[in-house]
Amino acid sequence: MNKILPRFIVSAVLAGLLAACASTPDEQDETRGWTAEKIFTEAKAEQESRNFDRSNKLFEKLEARFPYGRHAQQAQIETAYNHYKNQEPLLAFAAIDRFIKQYPAHPNIDYAYYLKGLVNFNEAQGFLSSLIKQDMSERDPKAARESFDTFRQLVTRFPDSKYAADSTVRMGYLVGALASHELHVAKYYYNRGAFLAAANRGKYLLETYSGTKQVEPALGIMALAYDKLGLVELRDDAKKVLFKNYPQTTVLDESILFSDADWWKPW
């Protein structure tokens, strides 16, 4: 009996410690007993104070405890915004896509698309900033293209959205930036003697970004490249289109076309 008693006591003590440990998280959780509205309000307050990690933890608790209702739905898009502001694009995309998939008819679905466009636009800043550098031919404009496509989807699907006007402005900027990228790559090929690649890149610019000011130098590159290749008919066609649309053009002068001037940049 004396040998059994100590074992019983030890077991009881261990069980008590385990129970105490199990209860500790709830006892230390300040949100215990809070309503959905209370948690949401506190999460928004942390967001406004730029405590994005703390805000997201509260939104996670809200979704876990109250998975249904408007607060849980809004928590998802607020979480995406927090990741965006906290420079966590992959997490932001995941949260936005989950929101769009689960609530395609939500009253704020236009904002979800706008936010997705902003996240990509922010990611595109690295690409856009490279426009002021000497060599951006290796830069990937994927984020800029995806940002444009998302903004276009918003403007097309929700033309009366309060985010449509800003989206349209950003689309215009992105088109100019993407056209500048294509022009730079065309110049890159030309300067390295890859004249056919340069001409094809210029042609792609004309077909894809026809309304931009980068069309003029693109036609110039095409005419010069075709001339180097001995493709007289294609050269003359490019010149004809160039002079018809830009009678005062100077882009057939290589010293001007390939100068460091930034007149063709999107800003």
Side-chain angles (χ1 to χ4, degrees):
M1 184 71 179
N2 290 336
K3 292 181 180 179
I4 297 176
L5 183 59
R7 292 179 182 175
F8 173 77
I9 294 174
V10 171
S11 298
V13 171
L14 289 175
L17 289 173
L18 289 172
C21 291
S23 63
T24 298
D26 286 338
E27 291 174 355
Q28 293 179 347
D29 187 355
E30 63 176 334
T31 68
R32 188 179 185 184
W34 286 11
T35 64
E37 185 173 359
K38 170 69 172 175
I39 299 176
F40 185 85
T41 300
E42 290 298 319
K44 286 291 291 182
E46 294 290 349
Q47 184 186 80
E48 291 173 2
S49 298
R50 302 186 66 80
N51 298 322
F52 301 117
D53 290 335
R54 169 64 176 161
S55 178
N56 274 346
K57 288 179 180 179
L58 289 171
F59 284 131
E60 288 173 7
K61 288 182 181 292
L62 172 57
E63 285 195 72
R65 293 182 190 173
F66 307 95
Y68 307 106
R70 62 184 182 88
H71 288 104
Q73 293 178 13
Q74 189 63 27
Q76 284 191 22
I77 199 65
E78 296 293 346
T79 297
Y81 175 81
N82 285 344
H83 287 311
Y84 161 63
K85 297 299 289 184
N86 214 25
Q87 298 184 3
E88 299 168 328
L90 294 180
L91 294 175
F93 286 136
I96 293 169
D97 289 340
R98 182 164 68 101
F99 179 84
I100 292 174
K101 183 177 181 179
Q102 290 185 352
Y103 309 111
H106 193 278
N108 295 330
I109 194 68
D110 60 331
Y111 173 71
Y113 283 101
Y114 178 68
L115 182 58
K116 187 173 184 178
L118 286 180
V119 176
N120 265 319
F121 190 88
N122 193 49
E123 283 295 284
Q125 293 305 303
F127 158 72
L128 298 174
S129 66
S130 68
L131 292 174
I132 64 174
K133 300 176 182 178
Q134 286 186 340
D135 187 1
M136 59 172 244
S137 58
E138 306 253 332
R139 299 292 298 192
D140 185 1
K142 178 181 177 182
R145 291 195 181 108
E146 290 182 351
S147 180
F148 177 86
D149 289 341
T150 303
F151 285 134
R152 180 173 59 184
Q153 189 173 7
L154 187 157
V155 172
T156 302
R157 292 185 57 187
F158 311 101
D160 298 326
S161 169
K162 63 180 179 180
Y163 306 107
D166 184 68
S167 296
T168 300
V169 172
R170 291 177 186 273
M171 285 169 62
Y173 180 82
L174 287 167
V175 166
L178 289 166
S180 293
H181 171 74
E182 295 300 329
L183 179 62
H184 182 96
V185 175
K187 292 171 66 175
Y188 174 89
Y189 284 139
Y190 186 93
N191 286 328
R192 282 154 183 76
F195 302 119
L196 181 59
N200 287 339
R201 206 74 183 216
K203 182 181 178 183
Y204 174 79
L205 192 159
L206 262 65
E207 295 171 346
T208 310
Y209 307 108
S210 60
T212 65
K213 61 184 179 181
Q214 288 80 3
V215 166
E216 181 183 356
L219 283 166
I221 288 178
M222 291 173 64
L224 292 171
Y226 287 139
D227 185 64
K228 294 286 187 181
L229 293 166
L231 300 175
V232 178
E233 186 175 348
L234 290 176
R235 178 201 64 192
D236 291 345
D237 287 345
K239 284 184 176 181
K240 184 184 299 183
V241 175
L242 177 64
F243 287 118
K244 181 178 180 179
N245 290 277
Y246 309 97
Q248 305 300 320
T249 188
T250 58
V251 295
L252 293 178
D253 184 337
E254 289 189 359
S255 64
I256 295 177
L257 180 60
F258 295 98
S259 69
D260 294 329
D262 294 337
W263 62 269
W264 47 268
K265 298 285 181 66
W267 45 80

